Amino acid sequence: GRIGVLICWDQWYPEAARLTALQGANILLYPTAIGWHPHEKEAYGETQRDSWRTIQRGHAIANGVYVAAANRVGHEAPDGGPGIEFWGSSFLSDPQGVLIASASDNAEEILIGEVDLKHMEEVRRNWPFLRDRRIDAYAGIDQRFLDIDQG
């Protein structure tokens, strides 16, 4: 299959996933280094990690592709400050968002999962999200958000 590589911050943008899928990617690969600042972990940690998983699985579903998210593990504090704690949790999702393989949050691991292009095509036939897009309604998507209060 064809692999589209989107790096780190790209993982949050549906437009990046969509454009890569429209260019023929069967797999979206997101190598990343994401985690939390240690002082935020208790309050926001699980919610942030769950949001990260959810949005990428959403990219898989909305585009009928596999998503592979590779993330670091461990703690890094190069300047002696609090640093960042990477949350690991790498995974492979199928075109319906089903997790095929997932890693732990605290150890380097190699994940192996099967990518079945026939399954991908079947999902795309049954959930024709790419075909049924309302491209006539997307004017302005290339514009930044304009705050109403700013006029």
Side-chain angles (χ1 to χ4, degrees):
R2 295 180 69 187
I3 299 173
V5 180
L6 296 150
I7 299 176
C8 204
W9 197 240
D10 294 334
Q11 66 200 344
W12 298 102
Y13 297 96
E15 299 90 346
R18 175 59 46 91
L19 290 170
T20 305
L22 288 173
Q23 291 175 14
N26 306 116
I27 304 164
L28 302 179
L29 171 62
Y30 292 98
T32 191
I34 193 167
W36 50 77
H37 295 106
H39 66 276
E40 294 179 345
K41 182 178 179 180
E42 186 175 331
Y44 307 110
E46 194 52 43
T47 299
Q48 289 174 340
R49 183 170 42 197
D50 187 54
S51 295
W52 173 72
R53 288 181 187 132
T54 300
I55 198 161
Q56 292 187 78
R57 290 173 62 210
H59 296 327
I61 296 164
N63 295 293
V65 296
Y66 286 83
V67 168
N71 190 30
R72 293 178 62 181
V73 295
H75 182 257
E76 185 176 288
D79 60 2
I84 187 169
E85 183 180 339
F86 301 100
W87 57 50
S89 306
S90 300
F91 66 88
L92 175 64
S93 169
D94 84 351
Q96 292 177 302
V98 175
L99 292 179
I100 296 170
S102 53
S104 71
D105 62 359
N106 61 4
E108 291 185 17
E109 299 172 57
I110 296 173
L111 292 180
I112 298 175
E114 184 175 328
V115 172
D116 181 349
L117 297 181
K118 285 185 180 181
H119 175 62
M120 187 190 82
E121 290 303 322
E122 181 178 309
V123 169
R124 283 183 169 181
R125 270 194 308 281
N126 290 312
W127 283 356
F129 300 136
L130 294 178
R131 183 197 72 196
D132 292 349
R133 294 175 305 124
R134 289 284 316 269
I135 58 174
D136 58 315
Y138 297 157
I141 198 165
D142 60 344
Q143 304 297 309
R144 296 207 183 273
F145 177 74
L146 176 62
D147 188 343
I148 295 170
D149 294 335
Q150 294 177 355

